[in-house]
Amino acid sequence: MTMPLPSAWTTPAPSPMCAYGSETAWSDLTPTTLSPLGSGGGGGFSTAWPVPSFQAGLQNAPTGRSVPDVALDGDPQTGFSIYSGGGWHVFGGTSVGAPLWAGLSALANGKRAAAGLGPVGFLNPILYQIGASAAYVADFHDVTTGTNLYYPARTGYDNASGLGTFIGDALLNTLTVGLTPAPAGTVAGTVT
């Protein structure tokens, strides 16, 4: 005997496909008690970590690691619909973007395994290789307008939106076909 799924587990009817419009780096200049300057996406340069080899070719990079690497919708007003606490709610920010990027990586690894290939490995060097190649315009939406309150979005990599937001099917295909896995790395240091 099969039991029907609880209504909370059923998925809503799919929405019609929408054409991509545009994106802008997130900043809200409305002062709050937590942030008198307003709020926005993160980004900038590290004073603790040097520029990694995969970022060596970035324009205007000072002596520190640049962030972010990539972006997804960070504004909690226009983010992603997630079923939580008995209803649908819109969430944004790293708490949503990081799991979506992890999901894309898991899909790529699953497709690579099905094709007899090894896992994609450490993604950052691969993403920056894509960012410097002809595949960039097919695999990413380059966010070129707005600021994160400190850094402007511009063509290519920037400290407001990184390489931009992924185009799911295209980037998944690039990560699945013809890539060799990134070499294993070593992490060393002292934890205090």
Side-chain angles (χ1 to χ4, degrees), residues 51-105:
V51 177
S53 60
F54 54 83
Q55 286 189 330
L58 293 181
Q59 296 176 16
N60 303 322
T63 59
R65 166 95 162 82
S66 293
V67 291
D69 293 307
V70 292
L72 275 179
D73 192 346
D75 187 343
Q77 301 303 310
T78 61
F80 301 93
S81 295
I82 296 177
Y83 193 85
S84 174
W88 288 96
H89 306 279
V90 177
F91 295 96
T94 305
S95 299
V96 178
L100 287 171
W101 273 99
L104 183 82
S105 299

Side-chain angles (χ1 to χ4, degrees), residues 2-11:
T2 60
M3 298 185 66
L5 291 174
S7 61
W9 292 3
T10 59
T11 47

Side-chain angles (χ1 to χ4, degrees), residues 121-150:
F122 182 46
L123 266 182
N124 287 15
I126 295 167
L127 295 178
Y128 282 91
Q129 287 174 0
I130 293 168
S133 75
Y136 178 61
V137 296
D139 291 351
F140 284 89
H141 293 296
D142 186 8
V143 180
T144 59
T145 61
T147 76
N148 66 354
L149 298 178
Y150 297 97

